[in-house]
Amino acid sequence: MTRPACPALRLLSATILVGLAPTAASGQPASPLRIDAKLSSGRAVEVVLHRPVNELRDAVRVGDSIIAATAAGGLLRFEGPGLRLADERYESDAGSIACLGRGQGNSVLAGFADGRVCRVDPKSLVITEVARLPKEPSWIGWSPAAGDGKGGIVAVAWGTVHDLAAGRSIETKDTATTGLVDREGLLWVGGDKGEWGGRVARVDLRGGTVSEVPPPPEPPDRRGRFEKPSWPGVYGFIELRDGQVWAFGGTSHMGLSDSKIIRVDGLTARMLYRYDQHDDPNAPPPLDRPTMPITHMVEQDDGLLVVSYSDVLQVDRGLKGWRLGDGLTIRYEWGRPDAMGSYPAVRALLPPARDFEPCVVATAGEGLIVLKGAKATPNVVPGRLGASSIARIEDANEGTLFIEGDEFPVWRFRANGWETIELAPPFEVDPASDAPQFERDFKVWGSTRVLVDPHGATFTVSDSGVYPGTVETCRREGGKSVRLGRETSSLRASSTFLTADGSLWNSGDWLRRFEDGRWRRVAPSGPFRDPYRLSPFGAKGPPWLLLDIVEGEGVAGLWRLEPGRSARGSWLFEVEPQEGETSPRVRAAAPWTDASVLLSTDAGLRTYDPTAGALARIDIPDPPKPATTLCRDGLGRVWLGGEDGLRLAVPGAKSVGSFDAVPGIGKHAVSALAPDPAHPDGVIVSLGGLGVAFMRAAP
């Protein structure tokens, strides 16, 4: 079978070449970063790194340009009304950019995760370090009151305000995650502490004093009782043209949320807008005003533009006539350490450079989005990788598929650059059931699981996000989805897996098998626990071995599936390979021989014979820490990835080859590995937010 190959890579000399060409003309992909280096073992390697451009940390507008910071540690410059990507720059030692801010005039400031504060040339994107803080800054800007009234850069690093011009640090004694310098030079700091609320304080930079602003009173609850006033999480500030300063934000926790706008520049703080779901948790939230925390606001000629998580609204200055615009189709980063919720996906809301031009939002996963009135239009960068973090890499008949998740577009790399491929079938409600109203209103799939068999055939399982709801199972043929079955079921597509014999299974509340166009229950869930998300490995079976993968946490265990002679005779259970008196935790796995598999365990690399149920040592050096993903290339070498970086292990070698010293890669975490189908000496590596790398190592 001939499959589309990735563009050829050449093994060159062992010199190190680090550089990134500016973006080519519109419609042409930019040149990727090419690195030629040597591993710690002395082996020559070539790396071609494709950095994503849609995962933005922050953005600022400078005249007709927008400067944006990416999660990959780069700076991008977009030009003109069409927001053409005109230039980009990555420093090999720059690290992660935490925030951007405006300096004096048209200057741009950047705060780095390692505490550096730098000036950014808005044309060349060259950075110049001006200070180094003990902690990562959360906000950075310029104030005429800094430097004892002479003006200078101010940075907020959580609870400390750093007046860089005066060389002075001011402790605010509480969380400070955002800031605003008003026209008088007064610094307002706000804190967002997740479910624990927030705070607001005024900082007099001339005198070095901090004044805490008490929160406004709350209205009585349904029983007439008055709760003690408290601040919500403060996401930001806005200074209106008449000098008023407003704080905005809210709190989201355990399915309940509130949204607030509070004026803070008067003698006392005054509530201007309030929605609190706690007032009546059973009442449906209004559809025409903010109900989630407000993350950004800008003033317009005819009122205000407000972003409340994915909702974009317009309102008059009296905050009375709310108008809901297009919702933003954006992704969120879950796992806040201070709240049971998500970080805001909108990182910046940029007002237009001129009247009647649109506002622009910078997002955590979709790049820039242009807001023209009530309409939201993504700013697509042709030929560039837009995924935030690739979780799976599959070799399919339609090309190598780069999969971020079941809810996101699938990517592939072609001769003209990166593109998305639509693998989900058109949405149709199951005609044999009374479809939920949600399905009839939205008419979109909630998630689509993409599965590829050892021969490159692709299958998809889609659900509507309503349980029970419409589920459709398809096989890809000739670039189109051919329906194998459609039904109403409580099955979740994310729990579907495919064994090497072409059988489709689902391990949700029941073990199900797809037969004769329907999903059929074959066994109840396990007596102790259900698996999270099973992923088979190896082409030998039955029985089949599967890894139990917890999203964001890695492998949770090893499972075994024994299909019965009849469907209901199937058996799915967890196995714990033994080594002496212990059972080392399994972190990753790959096929090895006809009789065994290769496991990465807490005890090191081991082979496992499913028939004997025994672990055995192998003549391959162990990495410093257990690998959380691994694969074998066409030469039989083992590539190992984890939180501490990438390693190459060769049978018989004394130690693994480390990529720690490779510029642009270093010790960056590896989230997925796969053999390169076009090159036996190469692999494809997902480096999370850093991008995707095609790597080859000399024999």
Side-chain angles (χ1 to χ4, degrees):
M1 175 180 63
T2 301
R3 302 180 189 172
C6 295
L9 308 178
R10 295 183 299 110
L11 279 173
L12 303 177
S13 64
T15 57
I16 297 176
L17 305 173
V18 182
L20 181 60
T23 303
S26 179
Q28 299 296 320
S31 299
L33 174 66
R34 296 180 179 272
I35 306 166
D36 294 273
K38 283 187 177 181
L39 302 185
S40 58
S41 61
R43 190 181 306 274
V45 294
E46 181 180 281
V47 179
V48 178
L49 176 61
H50 297 258
R51 290 179 166 123
V53 295
N54 280 351
E55 188 176 2
L56 304 180
R57 292 291 174 85
D58 206 348
V60 295
R61 188 186 285 278
V62 183
D64 288 335
S65 302
I66 289 177
I67 310 298
T70 74
L75 289 165
L76 313 179
R77 189 179 79 247
F78 296 87
E79 292 283 0
L83 295 180
R84 176 181 62 89
L85 179 55
D87 198 5
E88 55 192 306
R89 186 178 182 87
Y90 299 83
E91 302 290 337
S92 59
D93 62 345
S96 176
I97 299 175
C99 59
L100 295 176
R102 292 294 304 274
Q104 190 175 19
N106 282 331
S107 63
V108 177
L109 304 171
F112 287 80
D114 61 6
R116 282 179 297 155
V117 176
C118 300
R119 288 191 180 91
V120 179
D121 186 300
K123 290 297 182 182
S124 67
L125 303 181
V126 172
I127 63 172
T128 303
E129 182 175 333
V130 297
R132 188 178 291 263
L133 308 179
K135 293 183 179 180
E136 172 186 316
S138 55
W139 180 90
I140 190 169
W142 189 90
S143 171
D148 297 321
K150 298 177 182 178
I153 299 173
V154 179
V156 176
W158 299 104
T160 305
V161 174
H162 298 275
D163 183 342
L164 302 185
R168 178 173 55 200
S169 296
I170 305 169
E171 297 295 335
T172 71
K173 300 181 181 180
D174 202 350
T175 300
T177 53
T178 187
L180 169 79
V181 174
D182 66 19
R183 64 191 62 183
E184 301 299 327
L186 190 67
L187 173 64
W188 299 84
V189 294
D192 171 26
K193 296 184 282 188
E195 64 202 63
W196 308 110
R199 54 85 67 108
V200 170
R202 293 186 300 267
V203 181
D204 182 351
L205 295 170
R206 290 184 174 89
T209 59
V210 179
S211 301
E212 205 71 24
V213 178
E218 293 281 347
D221 62 16
R222 287 175 293 172
R223 298 180 180 179
R225 298 176 302 187
F226 288 88
E227 296 286 343
K228 181 180 179 180
S230 63
W231 282 104
V234 175
Y235 285 64
F237 298 93
I238 180 174
E239 184 181 18
L240 303 185
R241 293 165 185 166
D242 61 5
Q244 294 186 47
V245 177
W246 297 357
F248 52 83
T251 304
S252 179
H253 177 59
M254 300 295 289
L256 297 176
S257 64
D258 60 59
S259 176
K260 295 177 181 178
I261 301 173
I262 301 169
R263 182 176 178 180
V264 296
D265 63 303
L267 294 177
T268 59
R270 182 163 65 90
M271 190 76 68
L272 301 180
Y273 172 81
R274 179 184 182 276
Y275 168 81
D276 194 332
Q277 198 171 0
H278 296 82
D279 293 344
D280 188 354
N282 297 319
L287 300 177
D288 60 347
R289 56 194 178 98
T291 58
M292 291 287 289
I294 294 172
T295 61
H296 297 83
M297 295 178 66
V298 297
E299 192 172 14
Q300 299 179 315
D301 287 338
D302 55 351
L304 297 157
L305 186 68
V306 177
V307 175
S308 172
Y309 270 63
S310 59
D311 287 338
V312 179
L313 305 102
Q314 292 176 306
V315 66
D316 58 80
R317 289 180 178 81
L319 303 179
K320 301 297 183 183
W322 292 94
R323 302 184 303 280
L324 181 66
D326 277 1
L328 299 174
T329 304
I330 49 180
R331 70 196 71 187
Y332 290 89
E333 178 187 352
W334 294 89
R336 284 186 63 154
D338 55 2
M340 298 289 290
S342 64
Y343 290 98
V346 173
R347 299 302 175 90
L349 174 59
L350 307 176
R354 301 178 184 85
D355 291 341
F356 309 111
E357 287 187 354
C359 291
V360 176
V361 295
T363 69
E366 279 65 42
L368 299 180
I369 298 177
V370 179
L371 300 179
K372 297 180 179 179
K375 185 174 179 58
T377 304
N379 184 65
V380 177
V381 181
R384 299 299 301 275
L385 176 63
S388 295
S389 179
I390 297 299
R392 290 192 293 136
I393 305 168
E394 301 283 357
D395 181 24
N397 293 338
E398 296 183 71
T400 302
L401 305 180
F402 297 83
I403 302 170
E404 188 173 4
D406 298 336
E407 301 84 15
F408 304 121
V410 175
W411 291 82
R412 62 181 176 181
F413 184 55
R414 315 291 274 182
N416 61 343
W418 290 90
E419 66 181 15
T420 58
I421 175 173
E422 181 57 70
L423 299 180
F427 180 83
E428 294 183 32
V429 172
D430 178 17
S433 71
D434 184 15
Q437 190 61 41
F438 178 90
E439 290 189 353
R440 298 190 183 279
D441 289 342
F442 290 93
K443 300 179 181 178
V444 293
W445 295 117
S447 65
T448 294
R449 187 72 170 165
V450 177
L451 305 162
V452 181
D453 74 10
H455 306 290
T458 301
F459 297 81
T460 62
V461 181
S462 305
D463 70 51
S464 66
V466 178
Y467 310 100
T470 300
V471 174
E472 186 163 325
T473 306
C474 296
R475 178 187 174 108
R476 296 283 296 179
E477 295 181 7
K480 297 181 179 180
S481 296
V482 177
R483 184 187 304 143
L484 303 178
R486 184 172 60 196
E487 60 192 282
T488 297
S489 173
S490 60
L491 175 147
R492 294 174 183 263
S494 61
S495 298
T496 305
F497 61 93
L498 176 70
T499 49
D501 61 353
S503 298
L504 287 165
W505 302 82
N506 185 278
S507 60
D509 51 350
W510 280 75
L511 176 63
R512 291 178 169 92
R513 185 171 184 172
F514 188 75
E515 295 180 316
D516 303 323
R518 296 192 64 81
W519 286 95
R520 304 184 185 278
R521 295 178 176 180
V522 298
S525 59
F528 301 108
R529 76 173 184 91
D530 296 331
Y532 295 93
R533 181 174 294 179
L534 293 176
S535 176
F537 61 95
K540 300 298 180 181
W544 308 106
L545 288 177
L546 312 100
L547 290 174
D548 185 14
I549 300 174
V550 182
E551 187 173 358
E553 299 182 18
V555 172
L558 187 66
W559 288 64
R560 178 169 170 149
L561 172 62
E562 295 186 357
R565 293 182 180 179
S566 63
R568 289 195 173 270
S570 300
W571 193 21
L572 175 67
F573 58 96
E574 190 171 10
V575 296
E576 296 182 347
Q578 295 292 314
E579 185 173 70
E581 299 295 324
T582 65
S583 178
R585 178 178 174 181
V586 176
R587 300 285 184 171
W592 191 245
T593 68
D594 289 347
S596 65
V597 296
L598 179 64
L599 301 180
S600 170
T601 75
D602 285 351
L605 295 173
R606 300 289 189 269
T607 57
Y608 174 64
D609 182 346
T611 303
L615 294 171
R617 294 180 180 273
I618 187 172
D619 187 21
I620 292 180
D622 288 328
K625 294 182 179 180
T628 55
T629 180
L630 61 86
C631 75
R632 296 177 73 189
D633 64 19
L635 302 182
R637 302 173 298 185
V638 180
W639 296 69
L640 308 159
E643 293 183 357
D644 60 337
L646 182 65
R647 307 284 189 270
L648 176 58
V650 178
K654 294 182 179 180
S655 62
V656 294
S658 169
F659 283 74
D660 290 356
V662 176
I665 304 298
K667 297 182 180 181
H668 200 282
V670 175
S671 56
L673 280 166
D676 186 342
H679 301 97
D681 59 356
V683 294
I684 307 172
V685 186
S686 170
L687 296 163
L690 191 64
V692 171
F694 294 84
M695 299 189 180
R696 296 177 70 182

